[in-house]
């Protein structure tokens, strides 16, 4: 039997699938062209800025790059833009489906900020646009002529946003939004800067004018920023699956350090592709940063059992607490789920609750009613391998309780 929760979950899965596919296409082409540009042989005389021979798939490719433009405009020109646009659009759709439609569950943390759903969504949407405006103004200022200073200021902006998101949203939503904030800057670079500049060059060529080299220079700066921001964005997008990344009060520092790791890793590969050696020190720096992140993740940021037990229920939680069958569902979950989903798990050698989900108190259980229904009622995903022996009759009771609370 289909219901809204099941269909909505499949919709979220489909959008996530699309987002991953388009992101692979965008990141792949971005990394390829950065590596290609850095590896061009510029010692060969001729009209081109550089060229390279490559072999792949049983064939040979002869690639030439013109710094501004070739003398004559080719009849066919391939543009790389839809990979970026599709990635952002699918990511925005996922943000709306998961975090806006599920704001009570995933977006708003009443312990941090007393926000209504519409206020949380407004902050979420506005922050993405404001971030691009600030970044773009920085790039267009005289700082644009000093790339290193500009990158430092961009890093400071990201740290401030990381802290700010952590003050108003759940840890999971804070890291995800920082990733969306950064991805918005990256896609806006393509849409508002890189593509328009390329169109100006093409229009000049068609009109017989000599294109201004500044347009290529500006586009290359923004493309380089995108290159260094890519790896942190991937980490942040994956972080919602790993509570060790978001389930600590220092999650905002973890996110900031991830951006530094992105710089060290990309610096190694960019230097290597440019045939300027292999700066192996970057790997040592990356490992140190990663160990600091792992240590920070062990400092809990969740409420205690006593605090959760005493906390007043939100309207969403109260609805399921008042629903028929709650007491039975509560006893089933305490008996079959809470040994793992606890602030101090007692199952085996488990140190942290899976996915950072606690199922010990009334507020814990009612807060995660939808997940309980999907994971242990509508499907048999939980418990893993049904290791705690959750019977079919118990699963039916969980389903009945959830539907009674709708």
């Amino acid at each position: 039997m289909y219901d809204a929760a099941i269909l909505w979950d499949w919709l979220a899965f489909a959008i996530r699938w699309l987002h991953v596919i388009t992101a692979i296409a965008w990141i792949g082409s971005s990394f390829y062209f950065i590596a290609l540009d850095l590896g061009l042989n510029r010692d060969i005389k001729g009209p081109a800025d550089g060229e390279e021979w490559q072999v792949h798939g049983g064939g040979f490719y002869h690639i030439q790059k013109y710094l501004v433009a070739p003398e004559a405009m080719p009849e066919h020109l391939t543009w790389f833009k839809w990979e970026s646009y599709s990635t952002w659009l699918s990511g925005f759709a996922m943000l709306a489906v998961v975090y806006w439609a599920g704001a009570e569950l995933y977006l708003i943390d009443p312990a941090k900020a007393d926000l209504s759903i519409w206020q949380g969504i407004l902050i979420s949407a506005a922050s993405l646009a404001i971030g691009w405006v600030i970044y773009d103004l920085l790039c267009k200022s005289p700082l644009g002529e000093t790339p290193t200073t500009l990158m430092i200021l961009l890093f400071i902006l990201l740290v401030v946003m990381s802290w700010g998101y952590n003050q108003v949203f759940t840890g999971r939503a804070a890291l995800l939004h920082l990733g969306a904030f950064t991805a918005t800057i990256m896609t806006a670079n393509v849409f508002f800067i890189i593509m328009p500049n390329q169109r100006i060059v093409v229009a000049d060529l068609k009109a017989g004018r000599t294109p201004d080299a500044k347009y290529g220079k500006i586009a290359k700066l923004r493309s380089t920023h995108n290159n260094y921001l890519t790896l942190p964005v991937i980490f942040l997008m994956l972080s919602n699956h790993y509570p060790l990344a978001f389930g600590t009060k220092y999650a905002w520092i973890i996110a900031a350090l991830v951006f530094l790791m992105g710089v060290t890793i990309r610096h190694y590969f960019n230097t290597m592709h440019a045939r300027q050696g292999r700066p192996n020190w970057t790997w040592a720096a990356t490992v140190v940063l990663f160990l600091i992140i792992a240590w920070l993740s062990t400092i809990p940021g969740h409420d205690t059992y006593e605090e959760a037990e005493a906390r007043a229920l939100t309207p969403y939680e109260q609805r399921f607490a008042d629903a028929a069958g709650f007491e039975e569902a509560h006893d089933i979950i305490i008996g079959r789920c809470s040994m793992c989903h606890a602030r101090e798990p007692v199952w085996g050698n488990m140190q942290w609750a899976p996915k950072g989900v606690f199922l010990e108190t009334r507020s814990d259980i009612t807060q995660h009613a939808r997940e309980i229904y999907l994971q242990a009622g509508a499907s048999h995903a939980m418990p893993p391998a049904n290791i705690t022996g959750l019977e079919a009759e118990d699963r039916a009771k969980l389903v009945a309780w959830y539907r009674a609370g709708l």
Side-chain angles (χ1 to χ4, degrees):
M1 177 181 178
Y2 293 110
D3 60 27
I6 292 175
L7 291 175
W8 200 256
D9 214 49
W10 273 110
L11 174 63
F13 191 1
I15 295 173
R16 189 183 299 273
W17 187 22
L18 173 63
H19 185 54
V20 170
I21 292 170
T22 54
I24 289 172
W26 183 20
I27 294 167
S29 62
S30 174
F31 279 11
Y32 172 73
F33 278 108
I34 287 290
L36 176 64
D37 181 69
L38 291 171
L40 288 173
N41 187 339
R42 291 181 166 84
D43 296 329
I44 300 175
K45 295 182 179 180
D49 176 57
E51 64 178 63
E52 186 171 58
W53 284 88
Q54 297 183 353
V55 58
H56 180 74
F60 295 86
Y61 299 82
H62 183 203
I63 302 162
Q64 294 179 309
K65 177 188 176 182
Y66 294 83
L67 188 58
V68 180
E71 295 181 1
M73 192 67 215
E75 292 184 6
H76 177 71
L77 192 62
T78 301
W79 297 80
F80 291 86
K81 55 182 179 178
W82 291 111
E83 299 93 335
S84 172
Y85 302 163
S86 300
T87 300
W88 189 87
L89 289 171
S90 58
F92 184 79
M94 191 163 65
L95 178 69
V97 167
V98 176
Y99 288 89
W100 291 0
E104 288 179 303
L105 261 170
Y106 301 121
L107 183 65
I108 298 171
D109 185 346
K112 293 181 178 179
D114 185 18
L115 299 174
S116 63
I117 291 177
W118 73 267
Q119 288 173 326
I121 294 174
L122 181 63
I123 293 172
S124 169
S127 66
L128 303 184
I130 291 172
W132 159 250
V133 171
I134 296 173
Y135 163 79
D136 189 50
L137 289 174
L138 287 173
C139 289
K140 290 177 177 177
S141 73
L143 292 169
E145 299 299 322
T146 54
T148 301
T149 303
L150 184 59
M151 283 293 286
I152 292 173
L153 288 175
L154 174 57
F155 175 68
I156 293 172
L157 172 62
L158 291 169
V159 172
V160 170
M161 289 306 302
S162 180
W163 178 84
Y165 280 134
N166 201 52
Q167 302 308 302
V168 294
F169 294 149
T170 65
R172 174 177 173 173
L175 264 61
L176 189 284
H177 273 75
L178 186 63
F181 175 90
T182 310
T184 298
I185 288 175
M186 295 169 65
T187 297
N189 273 338
V190 176
F191 185 80
F192 292 112
I193 303 298
I194 297 174
M195 292 307 301
N197 284 8
Q198 295 283 27
R199 292 190 185 98
I200 291 172
V201 171
V202 171
D204 284 342
L205 280 171
K206 288 182 176 180
R209 298 187 295 267
T210 301
D212 193 328
K214 73 175 184 180
Y215 296 110
K217 181 181 178 181
I218 293 170
K220 185 175 181 179
L221 175 67
R222 302 297 183 102
S223 182
T224 300
H225 288 172
N226 284 5
N227 177 255
Y228 279 98
L229 293 173
T230 298
L231 295 183
V233 168
I234 295 174
F235 180 99
L236 294 169
M237 293 308 179
L238 293 174
S239 68
N240 65 95
H241 299 286
Y242 295 89
L244 285 177
F246 66 76
T248 168
K249 60 183 177 181
Y250 297 119
W252 67 276
I253 299 179
I254 288 176
L257 295 178
V258 166
F259 279 98
L260 294 181
M261 284 203 303
V263 170
T264 56
I265 294 171
R266 288 311 304 162
H267 178 69
Y268 175 85
F269 286 103
N270 289 343
T271 303
M272 182 183 69
H273 292 147
R275 301 188 182 95
Q276 295 177 0
R278 296 174 182 267
N280 294 316
W281 64 266
T282 59
W283 293 112
T286 302
V287 170
V288 170
L289 289 169
F290 191 82
L291 290 175
I292 294 172
I293 287 173
W295 172 71
L296 287 172
S297 72
T298 64
I299 304 173
H302 56 73
D303 53 6
T304 64
Y305 176 87
E306 291 74 19
E307 289 171 337
E309 184 73 23
R311 184 173 64 82
L313 301 184
T314 66
Y316 175 88
E317 295 165 353
Q318 191 64 55
R319 196 168 76 226
F320 287 102
D322 294 337
F326 171 70
E327 295 303 330
E328 279 190 299
H330 176 277
D331 292 342
I332 292 169
I333 293 162
I334 293 297
R336 303 298 183 184
C337 310
S338 65
M339 62 281 293
C340 295
H341 289 280
R343 287 157 181 82
E344 295 182 8
V346 296
W347 183 272
N349 294 319
M350 188 174 292
Q351 300 296 316
W352 296 276
K355 300 293 185 183
V357 173
F358 305 126
L359 299 175
E360 298 180 284
T361 69
R362 292 170 65 88
S363 61
D364 291 339
I365 292 170
T366 52
Q367 179 186 5
H368 295 99
R370 183 172 178 271
E371 283 85 351
I372 293 169
Y373 164 65
L374 291 172
Q375 299 284 336
S379 75
H380 290 193
M382 288 290 160
N386 199 22
I387 198 166
T388 61
L390 188 60
E391 301 291 343
E393 180 183 355
D394 292 335
R395 294 184 189 276
K397 290 178 180 178
L398 294 178
V399 170
W401 161 63
Y402 173 77
R403 289 178 176 168
L406 293 177

